[in-house]
C-alpha cells in the first residue's frame, strides 16, 4: 500500500508489560512523527524523526517511552512497564519534508488492563 | 494549557446546508493553521490550511476563515454532504524551528443528516 502502515492495529496488554508498536512510513518520506490520542482528546505530539535521528523527543511523557528509527524508514515506539494511563491510540505520521501536512496511519490502539 | 480550542464537541446539520466549525487559539505566535478530518478507525487526513497572511482560503466546498485579532478561525463546508460526517480537528504548528510539532484541538464531531 501507498499509505503509512501501523502494526498492530490493536494491542491489549497487562499492566507492567512491555509493548512495541511499529510504523512503516510512506516510501521516501524523511520525516516521521509519533502522536498519541487519548479518549476525547486531539492527537498529542510525542516525537519527531528526521532521517534516523530523533530531532525532538520532548513530547515523550517519561523515560518508559522510547522510539527508534535505525535505518531512516521503519520506526518502533517502545513502552516499558505499561500503565493503565498509557491506554490510547498511537498515531504515526510521515511527510516528505517539515510541514504540517502530515500523512497519518490508522493508528495502534493500546489497551492496558 | 490548551492553546488550540474547539469548544463544540459536536455539530449536526442537514444535508445541503452549511456546516460551520469553530476554533480558537491563544498563542499569538501561531502563523499557520490546518484542519484535519478523521473517520472512525482511520488516521486524520489533511483537509485545508491557511497562513496568517491571509484571511480566507477556499478549496471546493471547504473554506477556512481566519480572524487574527480575535484569534479565531472557522471551517465552512457548503453544501454539506453525509460523507462529510467525521471528527474535524483544528491544528497549528508550534512555529519557529518547531513547525513539525502540531498542537491539535479536541475535535468537533460533525454529523450531516440525509
Amino acid at each position: 500500500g501507498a499509505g503509512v502502515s501501523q502494526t498492530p492495529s490493536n494491542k491489549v496488554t497487562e499492566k507492567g508489560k512491555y509493548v512495541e508498536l511499529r510504523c512503516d512510513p510512506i516510501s521516501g518520506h524523511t520525516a516521521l512523527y509519533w502522536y498519541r490520542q487519548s479518549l476525547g482528546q486531539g492527537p498529542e505530539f510525542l516525537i519527531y524523526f528526521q532521517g534516523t535521528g530523533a530531532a525532538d523527543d520532548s513530547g515523550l511523557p517519561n523515560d518508559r517511552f522510547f522510539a527508534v528509527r535505525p535505518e531512516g524508514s521503519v520506526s518502533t515506539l517502545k513502552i516499558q512497564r505499561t500503565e493503565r494511563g498509557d491506554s490510547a491510540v498511537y498515531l504515526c505520521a510521515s511527510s516528505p519534508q517539515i510541514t504540517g501536512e502530515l500523512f497519518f496511519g490508522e493508528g495502534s490502539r493500546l489497551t492496558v488492563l | 494549557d490548551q492553546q488550540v480550542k474547539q469548544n463544540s464537541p459536536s455539530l449536526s446539520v442537514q444535508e445541503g446546508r452549511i456546516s460551520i466549525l469553530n476554533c480558537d487559539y491563544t498563542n499569538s505566535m501561531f502563523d499557520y493553521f490546518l484542519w484535519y478530518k478523521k473517520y472512525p478507525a482511520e488516521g486524520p487526513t489533511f483537509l485545508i490550511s491557511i497562513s496568517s497572511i491571509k484571511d480566507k482560503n477556499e478549496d471546493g466546498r471547504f473554506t477556512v476563515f481566519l480572524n487574527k485579532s480575535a484569534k479565531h478561525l472557522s471551517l465552512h463546508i457548503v453544501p454539506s454532504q453525509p460523507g462529510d460526517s467525521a471528527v474535524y480537528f483544528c491544528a497549528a504548528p508550534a512555529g519557529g524551528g518547531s513547525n513539525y510539532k502540531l498542537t491539535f484541538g479536541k475535535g468537533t464531531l460533525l454529523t450531516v443528516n440525509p
Side-chain angles (χ1 to χ4, degrees):
Chain A
V4 175
S5 175
Q6 291 189 248
T7 55
S9 54
N10 274 288
K11 175 71 176 179
V12 180
T13 191
E14 294 181 343
K15 181 174 178 294
K17 299 290 187 183
Y18 170 80
V19 165
E20 287 191 354
L21 305 175
R22 175 189 165 107
C23 172
D24 200 341
I26 293 172
S27 177
H29 282 190
T30 56
L32 185 145
Y33 317 78
W34 283 98
Y35 282 76
R36 177 169 76 171
Q37 185 177 11
S38 300
L39 193 63
Q41 304 294 318
E44 295 176 305
F45 171 82
L46 295 178
I47 187 170
Y48 155 65
F49 288 89
Q50 183 60 255
T52 59
D56 185 343
D57 64 358
S58 63
L60 295 178
N62 51 60
D63 61 6
R64 296 186 297 104
F65 288 75
F66 189 70
V68 296
R69 194 187 185 198
E71 297 177 358
S73 178
V74 171
S75 175
T76 305
L77 178 65
K78 308 180 180 194
I79 310 173
Q80 298 178 322
R81 304 182 304 281
T82 52
E83 298 178 358
R84 292 192 181 88
D86 299 336
S87 296
V89 176
Y90 289 82
L91 294 163
C92 178
S94 68
S95 64
Q97 56 190 348
I98 296 177
T99 170
E101 298 177 26
L102 308 182
F103 295 82
F104 282 91
E106 295 183 351
S108 292
R109 180 177 295 278
L110 175 66
T111 303
V112 182
L113 301 177
Chain B
D1 175 31
Q2 235 192 332
Q3 298 188 66
V4 177
K5 300 178 184 180
Q6 294 177 258
N7 293 319
S8 297
S10 63
L11 174 68
S12 183
V13 299
Q14 283 300 120
E15 181 178 6
R17 304 295 290 269
I18 185 171
S19 297
I20 300 176
L21 299 118
N22 293 304
C23 176
D24 298 292
Y25 62 97
T26 58
N27 190 338
S28 57
M29 298 299 291
F30 287 157
D31 60 6
Y32 185 67
F33 302 89
L34 307 98
W35 285 91
Y36 278 81
K37 179 165 91 170
K38 186 181 183 303
Y39 292 117
E42 295 186 11
T45 56
F46 169 74
L47 185 60
I48 192 169
S49 63
I50 188 166
S51 165
S52 61
I53 62 173
K54 295 185 174 182
D55 56 15
K56 175 183 173 181
N57 188 27
E58 188 173 350
D59 183 2
R61 297 185 296 113
F62 302 90
T63 303
V64 57
F65 295 91
L66 175 62
N67 182 333
K68 285 182 63 179
S69 61
K71 294 194 180 71
H72 176 83
L73 59 156
S74 60
L75 173 68
H76 292 213
I77 307 173
V78 57
S80 301
Q81 299 174 354
D84 296 329
S85 297
V87 177
Y88 289 79
F89 292 100
C90 173
S98 303
N99 267 343
Y100 52 83
K101 190 184 296 187
L102 292 182
T103 299
F104 285 84
K106 290 187 176 184
T108 297
L109 173 63
L110 173 66
T111 303
V112 180
N113 301 302

